[in-house]
Amino acid sequence: MSKSKDFLRTIVENDLKSGKYKEIVTRFPPEPNGFPHIGHAKSIIINFGIANDYQGHCNLRMDDTNPTTEDTKYVEALKDAVEWLGFNWGDSICFTSNYFSKLYDYAIELIKMDRAYIDSLSEDEIREYRGSVTKSGKRSKYAERSIEENLDLFERMKKGEFKEGEHVLRAKIDMSAANMKMRDPLLYRIKHAHHFRAGDEWSIYPMYDFAHCLSDYIEGVSHSICTLEFENNRDVYNWVLDTLGLELPHPHQHEFARLNINYTVMSKRKLLELVQGGQVSGWDDPRLPTIAGYKRRGYTPESILNFCDQIGIAKANSMVDISQLEFCIRDDLNKKAPRVMCVLDPLKVTIENYKGREVIDAPYYPDDIAKDGSREMPFSNEIYIDRNDFMEQPPKGYYRLTPQQPVRLKHAYIIKCKEIIKDANGNISEIKAEYYPESKSGCDSSSIKVKSAIQWVEAKQAKPVELRLYDRLFKDEAPEGLEDINPNSLQIIKDALIEPAVVSDKFDERFQFEREGYFYADPIEYTDTNPVFNKIVGLKDSWNKKKKTTSNTPKCPIKKAQIDGEVIPMSTKQQGLFSRYTIDLGLNSEVANTLARDETLSNFYEKTLKKLHSPVALANIVVNEVARELKQVQVDELKFNAEQISELIKMIDDEIVSSKIAKQIFEQMAKTGENPIQIVEDKGLIQISDPAKILPIIDEIIIKNPDNVAKFKAGNSKLLGFFIGQVLKNTNGKANPKIVNTLVIERLK
Ligand code: ATP
Ligand code: MG
């Protein structure tokens, strides 16, 4: 939990220091008339967060004073949201309806003090009498009623003797108060409605201004935190508590700016309209800003917590850019999500010179040598690639498969296109390809150069999946209503193909489908026969490009550094580095934060970047491995330099070594200062296993050594070692000895 000190925490600390309150008690007081949204999340995080930070308590209170709109299903959704965000409300939740009798008694006290009266003006007259900001109001003649008459009427209102709107209970304050809220605010109104908890017991219900402050008081709340629109209600809040002469300390109301996000509607009323109008599939539609929607889409609670931490708590309303929220979820998943392969628009590729099948051990975190975990990927001569990854007539700068240009199948081999098969309509239906046997990822000894690696799945074992790709629900930055809905906010892909481990391993819930985005198994509709994945967020912010925003303020939040609970701001230079790292280079904010704040590390990183453009993998190794070495020694005492780190990462990028081997190489570099390429060669870490490469060498040796061949064939089996040795010598030790062994025996049979 963040300890960054906002203005509310400063107030809380001062109140504790001065002894005004012994214990911090806050509350989150939603009205259960809709599903909670991200604005509520902000309020939850503030209220529960402050209580946690100061060893206090936060109540979850249902402000259920409006029987016609409330429902238990909303209570459940609110509880679920609080829990999902990681907070705990203690033994039981509170309901304003639990206090209905107490509130009624307090109202009677006010009447007895002649500080409240039954007014019988119509709604329109009440409005008219209130006056305006420039014109003072006029008190109703009913304010002259005697205490006895008021008590009698109030009791009969409670019993249900009057029609709705016939009478109301009002505070007797000041009809010419500058603060309009203080012009005899309504305290109770008649409502003949069934309450989802209180049943039919009540025909009158308390108004917000009366119920809220007293509920806070009853619960011993110290800091009653609400949004700015309640600022003027604070006077009423204090008037009620003071007039009733309630024991001190009273709760105190503090206001902060509500969260507004562009491209988003955030009022429960408007969300309800979308749900009821069928524009979305329900309150948990993944396009909605509801907690249930985020949860279903695959957002993590951590990303919401980070988002709220980064936007901070302000005293003035403003608009937050939705790309900042998207940044936070992308940033969180970037750290956590295993990388797997899914082909959205499958195109068959038959690799004609590949025989048999094999299983490839593919790392889940290929960009981070510090992270373990891998899965098995079946491979055979029939695979699928994405239709977008092949072009017959490519434009300039197209780096994927073309008739002229080979491409790497990520974690596997390099292939080249031999033939394009088309259907009767001239559409490409299949590619016939060839692979380079010695180009296997992690031990590539071919000299084929490719410009990119693409995702693929093995044809027989791939699983069909349904993908739901979401875009923003509104196309307008400040949506007004249904006419601003983005008609393309949901795209369903029925026949994508995914590698089998994703469906069978259940290694994680959220994945990065390489080059496509982050995805989450739909928690409701996913079944083994119809696996459904929701797109959580893309890999990059595609909207900023579409829109070409003119503002040059970074859309990335600046991570705060904390030392002893104090927030240390970044210098301008550090901020510049931070936005370059997150926005331009795609690093996650934690890695970027570490680099930007540490000059030694960022200098080292910049040097590695000069040699190789592989920003993510380089940043990971610098922030993890290099930083660990720097805890022991100064930068000029390191056994290795930036250039060598780039060489090491380049070998991973070129798939010459696997990231597992790279880790061993790094350890050796750190110990001895040897060059990574040297280490690989000395240890024979790149092996030649392809018979097609080894056999010609064997044949050459056979031709050069006819005597030894004769002797071996005559029964001198010791000469086997000679032949193997010759092959190894010829390949600088890179040939795989086991395979050489088998091949030599076969040749000399
Ligand atoms: P809505 O307008 O969406 O119905 P509300 O304010 O009426 O919201 P409540 O259920 O009364 O919703 O709110 C519960 C708490 O959440 C209140 O303290 C309110 O101030 C807070 N809250 C609601 N919306 C936001 C928001 N956008 N940003 C921050 N806090 C919010
Ligand atoms: Mg409301």
Side-chain angles (χ1 to χ4, degrees), residues 20 54 66 106 117 126-127 150 156 192 216 243 274 283 285 351 356 359 433 448 467 475-476 481 566 602 610 733 736:
K20 183 169 175 193
Y54 298 96
N66 187 1
Y106 282 128
Y117 62 96
I126 290 179
R127 195 175 310 117
N150 281 325
R156 288 167 57 203
H192 297 292
D216 283 347
T243 306
L274 293 170
W283 283 103
D285 188 297
I351 306 168
V359 169
I448 319 291
L467 303 181
K475 55 182 173 3
D476 198 277
E566 292 291 312
S602 60
K610 286 214 175 83
N736 179 330

PDB file of all heavy atoms in Angstrom, residues 20 54 66 106 117 126-127 150 156 192 216 243 274 283 285 351 356 359 433 448 467 475-476 481 566 602 610 733 736:
ATOM      1  N   LYS A  20      -6.985  15.054  18.664  1.00  0.00           N
ATOM      2  CA  LYS A  20      -8.400  15.275  18.368  1.00  0.00           C
ATOM      3  C   LYS A  20      -9.151  13.947  18.296  1.00  0.00           C
ATOM      4  O   LYS A  20     -10.287  13.838  18.751  1.00  0.00           O
ATOM      5  CB  LYS A  20      -8.518  16.039  17.038  1.00  0.00           C
ATOM      6  CG  LYS A  20      -9.952  16.378  16.659  1.00  0.00           C
ATOM      7  CD  LYS A  20      -9.995  17.360  15.498  1.00  0.00           C
ATOM      8  CE  LYS A  20     -11.437  17.599  15.062  1.00  0.00           C
ATOM      9  NZ  LYS A  20     -11.516  18.295  13.781  1.00  0.00           N
ATOM     10  N   TYR A  54      -3.131   4.027   9.219  1.00  0.00           N
ATOM     11  CA  TYR A  54      -3.045   4.597  10.575  1.00  0.00           C
ATOM     12  C   TYR A  54      -3.686   3.669  11.618  1.00  0.00           C
ATOM     13  O   TYR A  54      -4.216   4.121  12.625  1.00  0.00           O
ATOM     14  CB  TYR A  54      -3.657   6.008  10.586  1.00  0.00           C
ATOM     15  CG  TYR A  54      -2.885   6.932   9.672  1.00  0.00           C
ATOM     16  CD1 TYR A  54      -3.307   7.155   8.372  1.00  0.00           C
ATOM     17  CD2 TYR A  54      -1.677   7.507  10.087  1.00  0.00           C
ATOM     18  CE1 TYR A  54      -2.573   7.956   7.506  1.00  0.00           C
ATOM     19  CE2 TYR A  54      -0.936   8.305   9.231  1.00  0.00           C
ATOM     20  CZ  TYR A  54      -1.385   8.525   7.940  1.00  0.00           C
ATOM     21  OH  TYR A  54      -0.642   9.305   7.084  1.00  0.00           O
ATOM     22  N   ASN A  66     -32.967   5.078   0.034  1.00  0.00           N
ATOM     23  CA  ASN A  66     -33.892   5.306  -1.078  1.00  0.00           C
ATOM     24  C   ASN A  66     -34.445   3.966  -1.556  1.00  0.00           C
ATOM     25  O   ASN A  66     -33.886   3.330  -2.444  1.00  0.00           O
ATOM     26  CB  ASN A  66     -33.158   6.027  -2.205  1.00  0.00           C
ATOM     27  CG  ASN A  66     -34.123   6.442  -3.298  1.00  0.00           C
ATOM     28  OD1 ASN A  66     -35.331   6.200  -3.204  1.00  0.00           O
ATOM     29  ND2 ASN A  66     -33.598   7.045  -4.339  1.00  0.00           N
ATOM     30  N   TYR A 106     -33.682  11.065  16.783  1.00  0.00           N
ATOM     31  CA  TYR A 106     -32.954  12.345  16.669  1.00  0.00           C
ATOM     32  C   TYR A 106     -33.840  13.413  16.033  1.00  0.00           C
ATOM     33  O   TYR A 106     -33.832  14.577  16.435  1.00  0.00           O
ATOM     34  CB  TYR A 106     -31.679  12.182  15.831  1.00  0.00           C
ATOM     35  CG  TYR A 106     -30.525  11.542  16.571  1.00  0.00           C
ATOM     36  CD1 TYR A 106     -29.852  10.444  16.037  1.00  0.00           C
ATOM     37  CD2 TYR A 106     -30.078  12.066  17.794  1.00  0.00           C
ATOM     38  CE1 TYR A 106     -28.772   9.872  16.704  1.00  0.00           C
ATOM     39  CE2 TYR A 106     -29.004  11.484  18.472  1.00  0.00           C
ATOM     40  CZ  TYR A 106     -28.354  10.384  17.923  1.00  0.00           C
ATOM     41  OH  TYR A 106     -27.288   9.822  18.572  1.00  0.00           O
ATOM     42  N   TYR A 117     -39.384  21.374  11.596  1.00  0.00           N
ATOM     43  CA  TYR A 117     -40.836  21.531  11.464  1.00  0.00           C
ATOM     44  C   TYR A 117     -41.361  20.767  10.260  1.00  0.00           C
ATOM     45  O   TYR A 117     -40.617  20.461   9.321  1.00  0.00           O
ATOM     46  CB  TYR A 117     -41.204  23.019  11.350  1.00  0.00           C
ATOM     47  CG  TYR A 117     -40.611  23.713  10.129  1.00  0.00           C
ATOM     48  CD1 TYR A 117     -41.350  23.860   8.956  1.00  0.00           C
ATOM     49  CD2 TYR A 117     -39.313  24.247  10.179  1.00  0.00           C
ATOM     50  CE1 TYR A 117     -40.811  24.509   7.850  1.00  0.00           C
ATOM     51  CE2 TYR A 117     -38.768  24.891   9.066  1.00  0.00           C
ATOM     52  CZ  TYR A 117     -39.520  25.027   7.906  1.00  0.00           C
ATOM     53  OH  TYR A 117     -38.978  25.654   6.807  1.00  0.00           O
ATOM     54  N   ILE A 126     -41.706  24.759  -2.550  1.00  0.00           N
ATOM     55  CA  ILE A 126     -40.477  24.674  -1.745  1.00  0.00           C
ATOM     56  C   ILE A 126     -39.298  25.224  -2.551  1.00  0.00           C
ATOM     57  O   ILE A 126     -38.489  26.005  -2.067  1.00  0.00           O
ATOM     58  CB  ILE A 126     -40.212  23.223  -1.282  1.00  0.00           C
ATOM     59  CG1 ILE A 126     -41.255  22.824  -0.231  1.00  0.00           C
ATOM     60  CG2 ILE A 126     -38.787  23.050  -0.750  1.00  0.00           C
ATOM     61  CD1 ILE A 126     -41.136  21.415   0.295  1.00  0.00           C
ATOM     62  N   ARG A 127     -39.268  24.843  -3.819  1.00  0.00           N
ATOM     63  CA  ARG A 127     -38.173  25.298  -4.680  1.00  0.00           C
ATOM     64  C   ARG A 127     -38.228  26.819  -4.835  1.00  0.00           C
ATOM     65  O   ARG A 127     -37.217  27.507  -4.691  1.00  0.00           O
ATOM     66  CB  ARG A 127     -38.256  24.622  -6.057  1.00  0.00           C
ATOM     67  CG  ARG A 127     -36.959  24.754  -6.865  1.00  0.00           C
ATOM     68  CD  ARG A 127     -37.004  23.975  -8.178  1.00  0.00           C
ATOM     69  NE  ARG A 127     -37.449  22.600  -7.991  1.00  0.00           N
ATOM     70  CZ  ARG A 127     -38.574  22.091  -8.519  1.00  0.00           C
ATOM     71  NH1 ARG A 127     -39.355  22.862  -9.261  1.00  0.00           N
ATOM     72  NH2 ARG A 127     -38.917  20.839  -8.313  1.00  0.00           N
ATOM     73  N   ASN A 150     -46.233  19.600  15.218  1.00  0.00           N
ATOM     74  CA  ASN A 150     -45.164  18.968  14.448  1.00  0.00           C
ATOM     75  C   ASN A 150     -44.963  17.514  14.875  1.00  0.00           C
ATOM     76  O   ASN A 150     -44.836  16.621  14.039  1.00  0.00           O
ATOM     77  CB  ASN A 150     -43.852  19.740  14.634  1.00  0.00           C
ATOM     78  CG  ASN A 150     -43.817  21.007  13.775  1.00  0.00           C
ATOM     79  OD1 ASN A 150     -44.346  21.022  12.666  1.00  0.00           O
ATOM     80  ND2 ASN A 150     -43.221  22.064  14.308  1.00  0.00           N
ATOM     81  N   ARG A 156     -47.715  10.745  12.464  1.00  0.00           N
ATOM     82  CA  ARG A 156     -48.699  10.240  11.504  1.00  0.00           C
ATOM     83  C   ARG A 156     -48.088  10.040  10.110  1.00  0.00           C
ATOM     84  O   ARG A 156     -48.491   9.155   9.368  1.00  0.00           O
ATOM     85  CB  ARG A 156     -49.893  11.202  11.454  1.00  0.00           C
ATOM     86  CG  ARG A 156     -50.725  11.089  12.762  1.00  0.00           C
ATOM     87  CD  ARG A 156     -51.720  12.222  12.929  1.00  0.00           C
ATOM     88  NE  ARG A 156     -52.628  12.306  11.804  1.00  0.00           N
ATOM     89  CZ  ARG A 156     -53.279  13.437  11.479  1.00  0.00           C
ATOM     90  NH1 ARG A 156     -53.104  14.554  12.182  1.00  0.00           N
ATOM     91  NH2 ARG A 156     -54.096  13.448  10.453  1.00  0.00           N
ATOM     92  N   HIS A 192     -44.070   5.688   0.226  1.00  0.00           N
ATOM     93  CA  HIS A 192     -44.765   4.419   0.483  1.00  0.00           C
ATOM     94  C   HIS A 192     -44.136   3.348  -0.384  1.00  0.00           C
ATOM     95  O   HIS A 192     -44.634   2.993  -1.438  1.00  0.00           O
ATOM     96  CB  HIS A 192     -46.256   4.553   0.155  1.00  0.00           C
ATOM     97  CG  HIS A 192     -46.944   5.552   1.028  1.00  0.00           C
ATOM     98  ND1 HIS A 192     -47.132   5.351   2.387  1.00  0.00           N
ATOM     99  CD2 HIS A 192     -47.459   6.769   0.768  1.00  0.00           C
ATOM    100  CE1 HIS A 192     -47.749   6.402   2.902  1.00  0.00           C
ATOM    101  NE2 HIS A 192     -47.938   7.294   1.939  1.00  0.00           N
ATOM    102  N   ASP A 216     -22.514   8.539  10.454  1.00  0.00           N
ATOM    103  CA  ASP A 216     -21.089   8.684  10.761  1.00  0.00           C
ATOM    104  C   ASP A 216     -20.884   8.788  12.274  1.00  0.00           C
ATOM    105  O   ASP A 216     -20.013   8.139  12.854  1.00  0.00           O
ATOM    106  CB  ASP A 216     -20.518   9.965  10.104  1.00  0.00           C
ATOM    107  CG  ASP A 216     -20.269   9.786   8.604  1.00  0.00           C
ATOM    108  OD1 ASP A 216     -20.299   8.635   8.125  1.00  0.00           O
ATOM    109  OD2 ASP A 216     -20.041  10.816   7.934  1.00  0.00           O
ATOM    110  N   THR A 243     -26.322  21.024  16.748  1.00  0.00           N
ATOM    111  CA  THR A 243     -27.625  21.381  17.298  1.00  0.00           C
ATOM    112  C   THR A 243     -28.137  20.299  18.253  1.00  0.00           C
ATOM    113  O   THR A 243     -28.736  20.594  19.287  1.00  0.00           O
ATOM    114  CB  THR A 243     -28.637  21.631  16.164  1.00  0.00           C
ATOM    115  OG1 THR A 243     -28.068  22.599  15.285  1.00  0.00           O
ATOM    116  CG2 THR A 243     -29.960  22.124  16.688  1.00  0.00           C
ATOM    117  N   LEU A 274     -27.198   1.837 -19.861  1.00  0.00           N
ATOM    118  CA  LEU A 274     -26.516   0.982 -20.839  1.00  0.00           C
ATOM    119  C   LEU A 274     -26.869  -0.479 -20.625  1.00  0.00           C
ATOM    120  O   LEU A 274     -27.070  -1.241 -21.572  1.00  0.00           O
ATOM    121  CB  LEU A 274     -24.990   1.158 -20.715  1.00  0.00           C
ATOM    122  CG  LEU A 274     -24.405   2.516 -21.094  1.00  0.00           C
ATOM    123  CD1 LEU A 274     -22.943   2.595 -20.688  1.00  0.00           C
ATOM    124  CD2 LEU A 274     -24.538   2.744 -22.597  1.00  0.00           C
ATOM    125  N   TRP A 283     -23.869  -5.719 -16.114  1.00  0.00           N
ATOM    126  CA  TRP A 283     -22.999  -4.864 -15.300  1.00  0.00           C
ATOM    127  C   TRP A 283     -21.540  -5.295 -15.377  1.00  0.00           C
ATOM    128  O   TRP A 283     -20.644  -4.508 -15.099  1.00  0.00           O
ATOM    129  CB  TRP A 283     -23.441  -4.901 -13.838  1.00  0.00           C
ATOM    130  CG  TRP A 283     -24.656  -4.088 -13.515  1.00  0.00           C
ATOM    131  CD1 TRP A 283     -25.922  -4.548 -13.305  1.00  0.00           C
ATOM    132  CD2 TRP A 283     -24.723  -2.661 -13.329  1.00  0.00           C
ATOM    133  NE1 TRP A 283     -26.766  -3.513 -13.007  1.00  0.00           N
ATOM    134  CE2 TRP A 283     -26.048  -2.339 -13.011  1.00  0.00           C
ATOM    135  CE3 TRP A 283     -23.782  -1.632 -13.414  1.00  0.00           C
ATOM    136  CZ2 TRP A 283     -26.473  -1.033 -12.760  1.00  0.00           C
ATOM    137  CZ3 TRP A 283     -24.198  -0.331 -13.165  1.00  0.00           C
ATOM    138  CH2 TRP A 283     -25.526  -0.045 -12.851  1.00  0.00           C
ATOM    139  N   ASP A 285     -20.038  -6.392 -18.089  1.00  0.00           N
ATOM    140  CA  ASP A 285     -19.508  -6.342 -19.443  1.00  0.00           C
ATOM    141  C   ASP A 285     -18.084  -5.772 -19.389  1.00  0.00           C
ATOM    142  O   ASP A 285     -17.859  -4.723 -18.772  1.00  0.00           O
ATOM    143  CB  ASP A 285     -20.397  -5.444 -20.323  1.00  0.00           C
ATOM    144  CG  ASP A 285     -19.980  -5.517 -21.788  1.00  0.00           C
ATOM    145  OD1 ASP A 285     -18.834  -5.129 -22.105  1.00  0.00           O
ATOM    146  OD2 ASP A 285     -20.794  -5.960 -22.613  1.00  0.00           O
ATOM    147  N   ILE A 351       5.894 -27.663 -43.818  1.00  0.00           N
ATOM    148  CA  ILE A 351       7.357 -27.605 -43.932  1.00  0.00           C
ATOM    149  C   ILE A 351       7.804 -28.904 -44.579  1.00  0.00           C
ATOM    150  O   ILE A 351       7.835 -29.963 -43.940  1.00  0.00           O
ATOM    151  CB  ILE A 351       7.998 -27.415 -42.539  1.00  0.00           C
ATOM    152  CG1 ILE A 351       7.383 -26.176 -41.862  1.00  0.00           C
ATOM    153  CG2 ILE A 351       9.510 -27.268 -42.660  1.00  0.00           C
ATOM    154  CD1 ILE A 351       7.730 -26.056 -40.393  1.00  0.00           C
ATOM    155  N   GLY A 356       8.987 -36.131 -39.023  1.00  0.00           N
ATOM    156  CA  GLY A 356       8.725 -36.520 -37.626  1.00  0.00           C
ATOM    157  C   GLY A 356       8.111 -35.377 -36.844  1.00  0.00           C
ATOM    158  O   GLY A 356       7.447 -34.499 -37.396  1.00  0.00           O
ATOM    159  N   VAL A 359       9.245 -31.885 -29.482  1.00  0.00           N
ATOM    160  CA  VAL A 359       8.634 -31.024 -28.485  1.00  0.00           C
ATOM    161  C   VAL A 359       9.667 -29.982 -28.096  1.00  0.00           C
ATOM    162  O   VAL A 359      10.799 -30.319 -27.767  1.00  0.00           O
ATOM    163  CB  VAL A 359       8.192 -31.851 -27.263  1.00  0.00           C
ATOM    164  CG1 VAL A 359       7.811 -30.933 -26.131  1.00  0.00           C
ATOM    165  CG2 VAL A 359       7.023 -32.751 -27.639  1.00  0.00           C
ATOM    166  N   ALA A 433       6.780 -24.652 -47.260  1.00  0.00           N
ATOM    167  CA  ALA A 433       8.011 -24.020 -46.794  1.00  0.00           C
ATOM    168  C   ALA A 433       9.102 -25.051 -46.575  1.00  0.00           C
ATOM    169  O   ALA A 433       8.859 -26.262 -46.636  1.00  0.00           O
ATOM    170  CB  ALA A 433       7.730 -23.276 -45.492  1.00  0.00           C
ATOM    171  N   ILE A 448      21.841 -17.859 -41.341  1.00  0.00           N
ATOM    172  CA  ILE A 448      20.705 -17.201 -41.982  1.00  0.00           C
ATOM    173  C   ILE A 448      20.307 -15.986 -41.145  1.00  0.00           C
ATOM    174  O   ILE A 448      20.177 -16.077 -39.938  1.00  0.00           O
ATOM    175  CB  ILE A 448      19.475 -18.135 -42.040  1.00  0.00           C
ATOM    176  CG1 ILE A 448      19.852 -19.552 -42.404  1.00  0.00           C
ATOM    177  CG2 ILE A 448      18.393 -17.545 -42.955  1.00  0.00           C
ATOM    178  CD1 ILE A 448      20.329 -19.741 -43.793  1.00  0.00           C
ATOM    179  N   LEU A 467     -11.859 -15.482 -29.190  1.00  0.00           N
ATOM    180  CA  LEU A 467     -11.247 -14.295 -28.589  1.00  0.00           C
ATOM    181  C   LEU A 467     -12.231 -13.136 -28.655  1.00  0.00           C
ATOM    182  O   LEU A 467     -12.902 -12.943 -29.663  1.00  0.00           O
ATOM    183  CB  LEU A 467      -9.976 -13.905 -29.339  1.00  0.00           C
ATOM    184  CG  LEU A 467      -8.891 -14.961 -29.455  1.00  0.00           C
ATOM    185  CD1 LEU A 467      -7.697 -14.385 -30.205  1.00  0.00           C
ATOM    186  CD2 LEU A 467      -8.442 -15.447 -28.077  1.00  0.00           C
ATOM    187  N   LYS A 475     -16.682   6.521 -28.492  1.00  0.00           N
ATOM    188  CA  LYS A 475     -15.699   7.078 -29.416  1.00  0.00           C
ATOM    189  C   LYS A 475     -15.422   8.540 -29.095  1.00  0.00           C
ATOM    190  O   LYS A 475     -14.460   9.115 -29.567  1.00  0.00           O
ATOM    191  CB  LYS A 475     -16.132   6.903 -30.862  1.00  0.00           C
ATOM    192  CG  LYS A 475     -17.515   7.465 -31.200  1.00  0.00           C
ATOM    193  CD  LYS A 475     -17.819   7.159 -32.656  1.00  0.00           C
ATOM    194  CE  LYS A 475     -19.175   7.459 -33.170  1.00  0.00           C
ATOM    195  NZ  LYS A 475     -20.226   8.086 -32.415  1.00  0.00           N
ATOM    196  N   ASP A 476     -16.286   9.119 -28.267  1.00  0.00           N
ATOM    197  CA  ASP A 476     -16.117  10.525 -27.950  1.00  0.00           C
ATOM    198  C   ASP A 476     -15.390  10.695 -26.617  1.00  0.00           C
ATOM    199  O   ASP A 476     -15.649   9.972 -25.670  1.00  0.00           O
ATOM    200  CB  ASP A 476     -17.489  11.185 -27.857  1.00  0.00           C
ATOM    201  CG  ASP A 476     -17.373  12.689 -27.975  1.00  0.00           C
ATOM    202  OD1 ASP A 476     -17.090  13.346 -26.946  1.00  0.00           O
ATOM    203  OD2 ASP A 476     -17.546  13.186 -29.099  1.00  0.00           O
ATOM    204  N   GLY A 481     -23.972  10.477 -24.409  1.00  0.00           N
ATOM    205  CA  GLY A 481     -24.992   9.436 -24.323  1.00  0.00           C
ATOM    206  C   GLY A 481     -24.813   8.403 -25.402  1.00  0.00           C
ATOM    207  O   GLY A 481     -23.718   8.250 -25.957  1.00  0.00           O
ATOM    208  N   GLU A 566       8.728   8.737   2.985  1.00  0.00           N
ATOM    209  CA  GLU A 566       8.649  10.031   2.303  1.00  0.00           C
ATOM    210  C   GLU A 566       8.731   9.810   0.796  1.00  0.00           C
ATOM    211  O   GLU A 566       9.471   8.969   0.325  1.00  0.00           O
ATOM    212  CB  GLU A 566       9.821  10.931   2.733  1.00  0.00           C
ATOM    213  CG  GLU A 566       9.741  11.373   4.173  1.00  0.00           C
ATOM    214  CD  GLU A 566       8.595  12.335   4.416  1.00  0.00           C
ATOM    215  OE1 GLU A 566       8.453  13.289   3.640  1.00  0.00           O
ATOM    216  OE2 GLU A 566       7.847  12.112   5.387  1.00  0.00           O
ATOM    217  N   SER A 602      21.552   3.792 -15.228  1.00  0.00           N
ATOM    218  CA  SER A 602      21.040   4.310 -16.495  1.00  0.00           C
ATOM    219  C   SER A 602      22.185   4.579 -17.469  1.00  0.00           C
ATOM    220  O   SER A 602      22.053   4.332 -18.667  1.00  0.00           O
ATOM    221  CB  SER A 602      20.158   5.542 -16.300  1.00  0.00           C
ATOM    222  OG  SER A 602      20.878   6.560 -15.679  1.00  0.00           O
ATOM    223  N   LYS A 610      23.455   1.501 -27.049  1.00  0.00           N
ATOM    224  CA  LYS A 610      24.198   2.006 -28.209  1.00  0.00           C
ATOM    225  C   LYS A 610      24.645   0.864 -29.102  1.00  0.00           C
ATOM    226  O   LYS A 610      24.795   1.021 -30.307  1.00  0.00           O
ATOM    227  CB  LYS A 610      25.419   2.792 -27.737  1.00  0.00           C
ATOM    228  CG  LYS A 610      25.044   4.149 -27.184  1.00  0.00           C
ATOM    229  CD  LYS A 610      26.125   5.188 -27.499  1.00  0.00           C
ATOM    230  CE  LYS A 610      25.670   6.556 -27.057  1.00  0.00           C
ATOM    231  NZ  LYS A 610      25.912   6.803 -25.619  1.00  0.00           N
ATOM    232  N   GLY A 733      34.762 -28.192 -31.990  1.00  0.00           N
ATOM    233  CA  GLY A 733      34.092 -28.753 -30.812  1.00  0.00           C
ATOM    234  C   GLY A 733      32.604 -28.495 -30.768  1.00  0.00           C
ATOM    235  O   GLY A 733      31.948 -28.787 -29.766  1.00  0.00           O
ATOM    236  N   ASN A 736      27.670 -32.036 -31.945  1.00  0.00           N
ATOM    237  CA  ASN A 736      27.131 -32.761 -30.802  1.00  0.00           C
ATOM    238  C   ASN A 736      27.734 -34.164 -30.799  1.00  0.00           C
ATOM    239  O   ASN A 736      27.486 -34.964 -31.702  1.00  0.00           O
ATOM    240  CB  ASN A 736      25.608 -32.811 -30.956  1.00  0.00           C
ATOM    241  CG  ASN A 736      24.937 -33.565 -29.827  1.00  0.00           C
ATOM    242  OD1 ASN A 736      25.519 -34.489 -29.252  1.00  0.00           O
ATOM    243  ND2 ASN A 736      23.718 -33.169 -29.531  1.00  0.00           N
TER     244      ASN A 736
END
